[in-house]
Amino acid sequence: MLSRPHISELSPMYNARWSDGDDDNYTIIPSGYRLPASINPIHQNWIDLAGYQNLLLQYYMKHVLPIQFSHADRSIDAIIWNLIHSSDAAREAVYLLADLYRRGTQGGSLGHSALGDLDVYGHIQKVIEPVTEGDALASLCMVSCCLFSGSQGQWQAFLDGACRFCLAFLKRNPPSLVSALISCTDSMRFIIKTSIWFDVLASATLIRRPMFEVLRLLHDPSGTAFIDGRPELSMMGVMGCETRNIIALAEIVDLAYWKEDVERTGSLSVPELVKRGQRIETMLKTTNDNNNPHPADAEKSRLQHLTSAVFRASALVYLHSVISGNHPQCPEIMGYVAETVKCLKRAENVSTASCVVHSMVFNMCVCGCLTDVPEFRDYFLKLLQEQQMKTAGNCALVCDLMRRVWTSREAGIPVDWRVVMRDVLLV
């Protein structure tokens, strides 16, 4: 029997009641625990939560989870539901995330809630070193809390803890990442993939090597398309991006770190830099796009592939900034910024296009920082500002970062966009 979740330790703000217009969409579980009807209740030991916690959990499952993991199919509901009920830390993290999101989207001031004034934040800090899958989910939810709060809080400590948990699991389950992902539970696979995604993007802003160096094991240098051939190995159903594109971004991050390191010692070999860059570019230009998805999955598939196309084009912008430097007039940078804008405009015709923008904040920031074209600058600002009005997050912060880079460059003081973004998680 699972233990009863914490009740008394949460701050008084959780006592607030709020209405939800779709109250009839919930099913009464025999114990009295109210559960969204779309979830298949497969766990029998339901917990009779206090009323305000029940409201927060309902709000999370209905409103926050679809935004937090917008490209995942709805099988994610049961995975998250069971993880929440396996860990006190996971439940408290979900309560906090739901309340932050609700206050942000209903209060008009989005994405700038202070985490420091929340009593529960201190209680969840113990999951910086997770010991269970539920604790790892709590760490990832705390990363999302920091994102929804404008990148405030100790997101790096929570993320690194989740990554260490996953790497320890992979070390205990040899012989390879491929076999571990295929054989592990759905929940562990989800945690690993989500941690990989966050780690790669965070490493780009921190200018460090990704923690998941084992990610390279999913790439076949011969070009044989096996990495996305099995759903267990694909990032498409979790983050809407082809696995090879995630691997390529990790390689770009590693290349940027290598370049900076050898430049410090005066031992940079430009031919070696170009050679490595060309290898990554070849990887990005090879796709596994499925142009004939099942009719029932057509809309979701199109959304995922549009997201992947934006990711691929913007990753090429990032790659050529590493190879050629942060020069907006570089022909390759100009061309791939234009291609990114073209891909984003194609996504405007999709009914759920905001999911593309929501998951491509980092990519738009890179392209925005590396363009001097007024039309493109205005377009990136418009998309980010519209997204900020729809959901809590750090889009307003990204707009400020881009403007700082533009102002500095126009004043004749070029600035490395990665330095401006350092220590800010953009996902």
Side-chain angles (χ1 to χ4, degrees), residues 2 9 21 32-33 73 85 123 133 137 145 183 211 224 240 247 284 287 328 362-363 366 377-378 392 394 402 408:
L2 292 172
E9 292 182 345
Y33 192 90
D73 61 42
H85 289 82
H123 302 146
E133 291 180 18
L137 175 67
C145 283
S183 62
M211 295 179 68
T224 303
I247 298 170
L284 282 166
T287 71
F362 165 82
N363 309 72
V366 172
R377 287 184 176 184
D378 291 343
N394 52 9
M402 292 193 302
S408 177

Side-chain angles (χ1 to χ4, degrees), residues 150-403:
S151 292
Q152 298 182 52
Q154 300 179 29
W155 62 263
Q156 185 181 348
F158 286 114
L159 174 57
D160 288 354
C163 291
R164 284 191 294 269
F165 173 79
C166 295
L167 289 168
F169 170 84
L170 295 173
K171 187 176 181 180
R172 294 193 306 269
N173 291 269
S176 71
L177 174 60
V178 172
S179 60
L181 282 174
I182 291 174
S183 62
C184 69
T185 64
D186 290 343
S187 54
M188 190 66 217
R189 188 180 304 115
F190 169 78
I191 289 169
I192 292 172
K193 289 181 179 181
T194 304
S195 299
I196 287 174
W197 173 268
F198 282 164
D199 172 51
V200 172
L201 295 182
S203 296
T205 62
L206 294 171
I207 316 179
R208 72 175 188 186
R209 281 199 166 98
M211 295 179 68
F212 284 91
E213 293 186 34
V214 294
L215 194 56
R216 289 190 172 114
L217 299 177
L218 290 181
H219 173 57
D220 180 4
S222 70
T224 303
F226 78 93
I227 56 176
D228 283 302
R230 298 192 59 153
E232 298 94 341
L233 306 180
S234 177
M235 295 289 288
M236 189 68 85
V238 177
M239 295 300 172
C241 185
E242 288 183 80
T243 309
R244 70 173 70 250
N245 291 344
I246 297 292
I247 298 170
L249 180 60
E251 293 290 355
I252 299 170
V253 172
D254 185 75
L255 184 66
Y257 178 86
W258 171 82
K259 180 185 177 183
E260 186 175 89
D261 186 52
V262 294
E263 279 185 327
R264 279 196 299 265
T265 62
S267 57
L268 173 64
S269 167
V270 174
E272 177 65 18
L273 172 66
V274 172
K275 177 183 173 183
R276 292 189 182 193
Q278 288 175 335
R279 190 162 55 237
I280 298 170
E281 185 164 13
T282 299
M283 190 189 310
L284 282 166
K285 289 184 175 179
T286 304
T287 71
N288 279 343
D289 286 0
N290 175 17
N291 294 318
N292 297 293
H294 188 280
D297 301 323
E299 183 71 6
K300 173 67 75 172
S301 178
R302 185 180 176 216
L303 176 64
Q304 291 173 343
H305 287 94
L306 283 170
T307 302
S308 200
V310 173
F311 190 99
R312 183 165 53 249
S314 57
L316 286 162
V317 174
Y318 179 18
L319 172 62
H320 283 283
S321 76
V322 174
I323 296 173
S324 303
N326 300 309
H327 304 299
Q329 303 307 315
C330 168
E332 289 80 11
I333 291 176
M334 291 180 69
Y336 287 120
V337 169
E339 178 65 21
T340 301
V341 171
K342 182 180 177 181
C343 292
L344 284 166
K345 287 185 175 180
R346 282 206 303 267
E348 290 177 356
N349 298 322
V350 180
S351 59
T352 50
S354 62
C355 293
V356 176
V357 176
H358 173 74
S359 57
M360 292 290 108
V361 172
F362 165 82
N363 309 72
M364 285 190 289
C365 185
V366 172
C367 292
C369 288
L370 288 167
T371 184
D372 285 337
V373 179
E375 176 189 351
F376 292 163
R377 287 184 176 184
D378 291 343
Y379 182 69
F380 291 129
L381 287 174
K382 178 179 79 75
L383 289 181
L384 290 166
Q385 289 165 350
E386 288 175 352
Q387 185 66 27
Q388 187 69 34
M389 294 302 296
K390 294 175 183 176
T391 180
N394 52 9
C395 292
L397 175 63
V398 173
C399 291
D400 291 341
L401 289 176
M402 292 193 302
R403 290 190 182 101

Side-chain angles (χ1 to χ4, degrees), residues 76-92:
I76 190 67
D77 291 0
I79 291 174
I80 296 298
W81 183 256
N82 287 331
L83 286 173
I84 288 172
H85 289 82
S86 72
S87 164
D88 288 348
R91 285 190 292 275
E92 289 202 355

